[in-house]
Amino acid sequence: MSHWLIISGNAHALARSCVRAGHTCDVIDPYGDCDTAALARRLVRADTRDGSFDDDLPGRIAAMNGSWSGIVTGSGFERRPDLLDALRRYAPVVGNDTRTTRRCKKPGDLSDGLRRASVAFAPVAITGRAA
């Protein structure tokens, strides 16, 4: 049985999937709700500002002193993709790396990649204001 660290702006669904697959997990998320805590061996709250984790995230991971099969990332890294590089010190990271996260933040790059992969997507406007 694998033991994972899940870090997300809302980790409940990822933790539930992990447990349903027969694994165990520790969780870092900003809510620390009792439903997620019931799924995790350990749950640590990490505040997010503007939807992203702060510089203190690596310190919170180090304080957990865990032995994980890997780290599963969800939301919360969009504005701070550099934090994804710091996670590799603790376990292999499963999910988008820093480069991919940065590229996906660029609508033109994302739509070009989706087009090349023949994935349907809504039209992308690079200029103007969002409606």
Side-chain angles (χ1 to χ4, degrees):
M1 173 172 29
S2 299
H3 183 64
W4 299 87
L5 173 59
I6 299 171
I7 306 171
S8 182
N10 187 339
H12 182 81
L14 291 170
R16 186 176 58 228
S17 293
C18 181
V19 171
R20 282 186 179 170
H23 306 288
T24 59
C25 61
D26 292 334
V27 170
I28 297 176
D29 87 352
Y31 299 104
D33 61 273
C34 41
D35 291 341
T36 303
L39 296 166
R41 283 190 182 169
R42 293 181 292 175
L43 185 135
V44 172
R45 286 192 67 227
D47 290 330
T48 57
R49 292 194 183 138
D50 298 323
S52 291
F53 289 103
D54 291 330
D55 289 334
D56 64 350
L57 181 63
R60 291 181 187 277
I61 297 168
M64 292 176 83
N65 196 27
S67 177
W68 301 290
S69 302
I71 300 173
V72 177
T73 60
S75 63
F77 295 94
E78 294 80 7
R79 291 190 174 150
R80 292 295 312 276
D82 57 296
L83 289 174
L84 293 167
D85 288 333
L87 303 181
R88 285 193 225 130
R89 289 184 289 208
Y90 307 101
V93 177
V94 178
N96 290 333
D97 60 14
T98 301
R99 182 172 172 258
T100 301
T101 301
R102 281 194 175 115
R103 284 184 59 222
C104 287
K105 289 177 55 146
K106 298 177 183 173
D109 288 356
L110 180 59
S111 61
D112 289 346
L114 293 170
R115 193 174 294 106
R116 281 192 303 276
S118 299
V119 174
F121 61 96
V124 175
I126 305 294
T127 60
R129 289 187 58 161

